[in-house]
Amino acid sequence: MGNCAAMGQSETGTTESPIRQTWWARNRLHLAIFGVALCIFSATSADRLIKQSEGPHFVYLADAFLHGQVHNFVKAPNDNDWIRYEGKTYVSFPPVPAILMLPGVVVFGINFNDVIFTLLFAALNVLLMFLVLQMLVREKLSSMSVRQNLWLTALFGFGTVNFSCSILGEVWFTAQVIGVTFTLAYILCATRVRKPLLAGLFLALAFDTRVNLAFTVSYFALQLFFPRNENGSFAAGNVKAILKKSILFSIPILVVGALQMWMNHLRFHSLFEFGHSYLSGPAGNRIDQHGLFAFHYFEWNLRALLLRLPTLGNKFPWIGYNADGLSIFLTTPIFIRLFWPRARPWIYSILWATAIPALLVPLFYQNSGYVQFGYRFALDITPYLVMLLSVGKLPMNRWTKTLIIIGILVNLAGAIAFKRIGPV
């Protein structure tokens, strides 16, 4: 990631002499961002830190891998989203987070704490978001100062659904957090097609964590096939260079995709079946009636994304979150400014062309993300939305900061209450 992020530069974009610049001087802001984020997430997680989450599916999948199999070696601790098929129990979620957990499961066994694991990646994501914003400045795609980028970094970390997704562990939220990690690494390497092999690797790891992230391929492809000069004008394309970069980008994607299809076939005798089609309970009933993806689910999911309001109760605190989702403009009100940018540089349309397809896939999915605080599937594209605010020259005035702070307070309340108090 360091090669992609150009982390050796100072935050002003200048490079100091290695002799004069100590490692601490170069990285103290980065370390501070990571440390502050980790402390905030840990304090909010609180009692959840001391034990494994209630959705430790990735721990059990990692344990299965260590025993040389793709079905559970140990009996599942509950019945929530485990797949029973041909007398065996499987984890249907893509396996990258489980692979990352392997060292921890080797040391701690089946009781490995997935909450702490998720917190570490969540804090890393806040740092990576800052590095992405600084990269946009270096590429002359954003005019934000370091302080302004810190405001946007705080927005991403604590003023969006990222907050409540980061502090629980659990298979559904861990997958979202890890998906964001590889998305941000992909963005750092794919911008201006600077590292095609690494960009392909990080995209492959992203979609083998959250499948719909495969649709963010357009972020790389549009920059590859329609290159731009520094001033934003179209650059003359070199067919040989484009072909070479395409091959380098594709290699890890094909390898990871082939391995995933092989794993699917081992488990469910189908290259493209992850196991979700064999869900039981209400989800299984929906799938039997309408399929895993269908237009039938679109209105339900669109309401969860845009229109859902808090619920009202007859006892303190008299208001609660809707477990089906909350409007993205309630959880993150500053996102209303996405529709009134002050600038539209060449990357602006690419960011929208990347975010929209990745969000459309969950809108046709059989689940809105329930149970959740806010529409958690929006987290998949939140890095791109924050980038849009940056390149759109969001004015960092009193009103903008007020909206960011409101978003942070809303999501702080959500992170504290989520699965502690429950919906009213």
Side-chain angles (χ1 to χ4, degrees):
M1 295 182 195
N3 289 335
C4 301
M7 290 174 66
Q9 289 186 319
S10 69
E11 302 308 331
T12 59
T14 60
T15 304
E16 299 179 18
S17 167
I19 298 175
R20 297 177 56 194
Q21 190 180 38
T22 66
W23 183 89
W24 169 253
R26 293 196 307 271
N27 294 286
R28 61 187 175 187
L29 179 57
H30 302 153
L31 292 171
I33 292 170
F34 177 84
V36 169
L38 184 60
C39 288
I40 293 173
F41 289 142
S42 298
T44 311
S45 184
D47 55 302
R48 293 162 170 151
L49 280 173
I50 62 177
K51 61 181 180 179
Q52 188 179 76
S53 79
E54 296 180 0
H57 299 52
F58 289 131
V59 178
Y60 281 66
L61 182 56
D63 178 70
F65 289 157
L66 291 173
H67 287 91
Q69 58 192 50
V70 292
H71 61 276
N72 281 18
F73 183 77
V74 179
K75 183 181 178 181
N78 52 52
D79 293 323
N80 195 356
D81 272 6
W82 302 89
I83 303 301
R84 268 78 181 190
Y85 181 76
E86 295 185 344
K88 297 175 181 177
T89 302
Y90 295 94
V91 174
S92 61
F93 301 91
V96 167
I99 294 170
L100 295 174
M101 287 184 184
L102 284 172
V105 177
V106 167
V107 175
F108 298 100
I110 202 69
N111 295 315
F112 177 66
N113 190 318
D114 58 316
V115 181
I116 294 175
F117 172 89
T118 305
L119 288 177
L120 291 170
F121 278 91
L124 175 61
N125 288 349
V126 178
L127 171 58
L128 289 174
M129 187 75 253
F130 177 74
L131 293 177
V132 165
L133 294 170
Q134 288 294 96
M135 176 268 296
L136 293 175
V137 175
R138 288 196 301 273
E139 295 292 341
K140 296 181 173 57
L141 297 169
S142 168
S143 58
M144 294 288 184
S145 67
V146 173
R147 182 169 295 182
Q148 291 170 332
N149 279 338
L150 287 171
W151 273 96
L152 289 178
T153 301
L155 167 69
F156 166 78
F158 314 109
T160 68
V161 292
N162 180 70
F163 202 163
S164 58
C165 287
S166 295
I167 48 89
L168 282 169
E170 301 190 3
V171 61
W172 311 276
F173 306 105
T174 297
Q176 301 254 201
V177 169
I178 302 296
V180 168
T181 303
F182 290 120
T183 291
L184 290 164
Y186 164 62
I187 291 168
L188 286 168
C189 296
T191 302
R192 292 201 183 273
V193 200
R194 60 160 60 86
K195 296 286 181 181
L197 182 63
L198 285 175
L201 175 61
F202 289 132
L203 178 61
L205 295 174
F207 74 65
D208 211 30
T209 301
R210 294 274 303 154
V211 176
N212 60 300
L213 292 176
F215 289 86
T216 62
V217 65
S218 53
Y219 184 75
F220 180 89
L222 290 173
Q223 294 182 77
L224 175 65
F225 294 114
F226 304 99
R228 300 283 187 142
N229 294 312
E230 188 172 297
N231 63 6
S233 62
F234 283 104
N238 183 310
V239 175
K240 188 174 180 179
I242 290 174
L243 181 60
K244 179 182 178 181
K245 290 178 179 180
S246 298
I247 293 172
L248 288 173
F249 180 70
S250 301
I251 289 171
I253 292 174
L254 293 173
V255 170
V256 171
L259 289 172
Q260 181 61 63
M261 288 190 288
W262 175 58
M263 182 177 173
N264 291 343
H265 189 269
L266 284 177
R267 299 181 298 172
F268 306 112
H269 318 303
S270 170
L271 296 177
F272 301 103
E273 178 58 67
F274 285 83
H276 286 73
S277 298
Y278 302 107
L279 284 167
S280 58
N285 294 334
R286 288 193 297 270
I287 293 168
D288 290 341
Q289 292 179 29
H290 306 288
L292 191 63
F293 291 90
F295 186 76
H296 173 80
Y297 307 120
F298 182 75
E299 181 183 359
W300 174 34
N301 285 310
L302 193 64
R303 284 179 177 273
L305 171 65
L306 299 177
L307 300 176
R308 291 281 184 226
L309 299 175
T311 55
L312 301 177
N314 55 10
K315 60 181 181 179
F316 182 83
W318 301 293
I319 188 170
Y321 61 90
N322 189 326
D324 206 34
L326 288 172
S327 168
I328 194 173
F329 301 115
L330 285 178
T331 55
T332 311
I334 193 61
F335 279 163
I336 197 71
R337 284 304 306 262
L338 288 167
F339 304 106
W340 291 281
R342 297 197 302 172
R344 291 183 174 87
W346 61 267
I347 202 169
Y348 182 85
S349 57
I350 290 177
L351 290 170
W352 276 118
T354 303
I356 291 173
L359 183 61
L360 276 176
V361 176
L363 290 178
F364 293 93
Y365 185 53
Q366 61 83 24
N367 184 4
S368 68
Y370 180 95
V371 175
Q372 59 191 342
F373 179 85
Y375 186 70
R376 64 180 173 90
F377 293 154
L379 181 55
D380 294 328
I381 64 163
T382 296
Y384 297 102
L385 300 184
V386 175
M387 291 171 70
L388 280 163
L389 292 176
S390 175
V391 302
K393 291 189 176 180
L394 175 71
M396 199 57 68
N397 53 32
R398 181 184 306 172
W399 295 109
T400 295
K401 292 176 180 178
T402 299
L403 289 176
I404 290 175
I405 290 171
I406 290 172
I408 291 173
L409 293 175
V410 168
N411 286 279
L412 172 62
I416 293 172
F418 185 41
K419 292 198 174 184
R420 283 195 177 101
I421 298 175
V424 174

